[in-house]
């Protein structure tokens, strides 16, 4: 995502573009420059791996290769840049932030399996290729949270901790009122036209950072182009309950931090109660006035809470030595 305060030069460029709903070349180029600026501030470089399937997985990584590896997994309709702003606050870790298959710059095969286990296996292949699979911390938002659970359940001896941010996959908690009437044909998370993106932006966040309409329009076109695949992916993930797999996390006593925005309209905040029942060792933090994506809405607070969680793990480790 983007800065709340854009540079003067960027604002001047966008004022030329205006608030059109159909992005022109200047809007697209300016948007890419802003994204690159954000990545450079967080010391993120974009890389790619060809998976055994032949598909390409694109990911961002910071320069702190000596830090403990932290795999961050975006949610439905998102991409690696959902974590770009918070990455600057997490510079002490070796951050690896992929575009999941089906999203961002990664391959988008229509016939692929997009459920949590399949995505987790692809991410594990990436971690193995980087030589960090045996000793990793994992975090994810929304769909990325469900994939994080699946990853830890598949490779419990390799995962040192979990960070679940408004996690999907705990479906027995029920659906929020805001989505009770949603279908795959009429869903605020799927984008058919530019205005849908504007509405979705405000739907998922209680405190959305400012982005000019011209930039949002660029993001909207990417989502519109991927709508058919996203519909298929959404149909798969809403049937993919990870609660049984989460019991493995409890069995292996994997330290888990659960963060939830109290104003989340996408997944019920009451889900934290269910997660605590399934994963008793989990620590719960709820954030007032925050929606579905705390790492974008409340960057510093979300980062500070996570760093405090990690410091707590260090203290426990030192005590055990």
């Amino acid at each position: 995502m983007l800065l709340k305060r854009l540079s003067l030069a960027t604002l001047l460029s966008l004022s030329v573009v205006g608030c059109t709903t159909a992005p022109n070349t200047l809007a697209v180029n300016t948007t890419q420059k802003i994204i690159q600026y954000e990545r450079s501030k967080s010391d993120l470089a974009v890389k790619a791996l060809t998976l055994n399937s032949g598909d390409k997985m694109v990911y961002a990584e910071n320069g702190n290769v000596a830090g403990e590896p932290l795999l961050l997994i975006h949610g439905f309709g998102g991409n690696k840049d959902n974590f770009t702003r918070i990455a600057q606050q997490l510079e002490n870790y070796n951050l690896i932030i992929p575009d999941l298959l089906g999203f961002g710059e990664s391959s988008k095969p229509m016939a692929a399996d997009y459920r949590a286990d399949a995505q987790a296996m692809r991410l594990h292949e990436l971690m193995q290729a980087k030589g960090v699979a045996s000793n990793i911390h994992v975090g994810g938002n929304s769909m990325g949270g469900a994939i994080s659970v699946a990853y830890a359940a598949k490779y419990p001896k390799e995962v040192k901790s979990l960070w679940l941010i408004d996690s999907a996959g705990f479906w027995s908690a029920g659906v929020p009122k805001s989505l009770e009437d949603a279908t795959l044909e009429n869903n605020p998370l799927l984008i058919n036209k530019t205005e849908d993106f504007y509405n979705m932006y405000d739907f998922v966040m209680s405190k959305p950072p400012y982005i000019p309409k011209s930039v949002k329009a660029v993001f909207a076109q990417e989502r519109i182009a991927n709508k058919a695949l996203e519909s298929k992916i959404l149909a798969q993930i809403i049937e993919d309950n990870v609660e049984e797999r989460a019991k493995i996390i409890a069995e292996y006593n994997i330290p888990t931090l659960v963060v939830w925005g109290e104003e989340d309209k996408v997944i019920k905040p009451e889900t934290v109660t269910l997660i605590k029942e399934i994963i008793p060792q989990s620590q719960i933090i709820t954030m007032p006035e925050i929606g579905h994506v705390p790492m974008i809405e409340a960057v510093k607070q979300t980062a500070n809470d996570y760093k405090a969680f990690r410091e707590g793990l260090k203290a426990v480790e030192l005590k055990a030595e």
Side-chain angles (χ1 to χ4, degrees):
M1 282 295 180
L2 310 174
L3 288 168
K4 286 184 180 179
R5 298 181 182 87
L6 300 171
S7 68
L8 178 60
T10 299
L11 282 173
L12 287 172
S13 296
L14 291 171
S15 68
V16 174
V17 177
C19 293
T20 59
T21 56
N24 58 26
T25 302
L26 178 58
V28 173
N29 291 342
T30 302
T31 298
Q32 290 305 315
K33 287 178 181 177
I34 296 170
I35 293 171
Q36 188 52 51
Y37 173 70
E38 286 286 308
R39 291 174 184 164
S40 65
K41 278 186 65 182
S42 295
D43 190 31
L44 293 173
V46 175
K47 306 175 182 181
L49 173 73
T50 300
L51 300 172
N52 291 333
S53 64
D55 295 310
K56 180 178 73 169
M57 179 170 283
V58 175
Y59 63 98
E61 183 175 16
N62 68 354
N64 186 13
V65 293
E68 287 192 86
L70 171 57
L71 170 65
L72 294 173
I73 309 170
H74 67 78
F76 176 79
N79 58 46
K80 58 188 175 297
D81 288 306
N82 288 173
F83 289 100
T84 293
R85 290 187 67 212
I86 200 171
Q88 189 176 14
Q89 308 289 326
L90 302 174
E91 61 185 0
N92 290 336
Y93 313 117
N94 177 204
L95 303 177
I96 302 166
I97 315 172
D99 281 333
L100 291 165
L101 207 71
F103 299 96
E105 297 177 89
S106 290
S107 296
K108 300 176 175 66
M110 282 297 294
D113 183 350
Y114 289 99
R115 290 171 295 182
D117 278 1
Q119 294 282 34
M121 290 170 68
R122 296 179 187 115
L123 294 174
H124 190 253
E125 185 179 339
L126 172 63
M127 297 303 100
Q128 285 182 313
K130 297 195 67 62
V132 298
S134 63
N135 187 31
I136 192 163
H137 300 264
V138 181
N141 170 238
S142 193
M143 176 186 71
I147 295 167
S148 299
V149 170
Y151 190 105
K154 269 192 167 298
Y155 314 105
K157 293 181 180 180
E158 300 178 0
V159 175
K160 296 189 71 175
S161 76
L162 271 182
W163 183 19
L164 304 181
I165 309 169
D166 295 66
S167 178
F170 294 85
W171 299 130
S172 65
V175 178
K177 287 185 178 180
S178 55
L179 288 176
E180 282 180 350
D181 298 324
T183 65
L184 290 176
E185 288 73 38
N186 181 23
N187 193 300
L189 302 179
L190 294 172
I191 309 302
N192 292 292
K193 55 186 184 297
T194 304
E195 290 73 16
D196 291 344
F197 186 89
Y198 300 158
N199 294 334
M200 182 277 299
Y201 192 78
D202 292 329
F203 177 74
V204 300
M205 288 184 275
S206 180
K207 288 187 173 180
Y210 170 72
I211 298 179
K213 269 193 170 182
S214 51
V215 174
K216 289 182 186 176
V218 175
F219 294 151
Q221 293 308 306
E222 295 171 359
R223 295 290 308 279
I224 292 167
N226 205 34
K227 197 259 182 176
L229 179 57
E230 288 188 8
S231 295
K232 177 177 179 177
I233 295 171
L234 186 59
Q236 290 186 20
I237 64 176
I238 60 177
E239 298 294 332
D240 191 13
N241 190 314
V242 299
E243 291 166 29
E244 284 300 315
R245 281 163 278 182
K247 292 177 182 178
I248 298 172
I249 295 163
E251 179 186 342
Y252 280 82
N253 199 32
I254 298 172
T256 301
L257 175 64
V258 179
V259 175
W260 220 281
E262 292 183 5
E263 301 301 319
D264 191 341
K265 297 177 185 175
V266 180
I267 304 176
K268 293 174 71 172
E270 293 85 353
T271 305
V272 298
T273 304
L274 174 62
I275 294 176
K276 184 67 175 178
E277 289 174 1
I278 298 173
I279 311 173
Q281 77 273 19
S282 60
Q283 300 176 35
I284 309 293
I285 295 175
T286 59
M287 303 181 72
E289 301 180 1
I290 299 299
H292 188 58
V293 279
M295 74 283 183
I296 294 174
E297 299 174 67
V299 176
K300 287 186 178 179
Q301 186 60 55
T302 304
N304 287 341
D305 288 340
Y306 181 69
K307 287 186 283 189
F309 166 70
R310 290 288 297 271
E311 286 301 315
L313 296 186
K314 277 187 182 178
V316 171
E317 289 173 3
L318 289 172
K319 203 171 182 180
E321 289 179 354

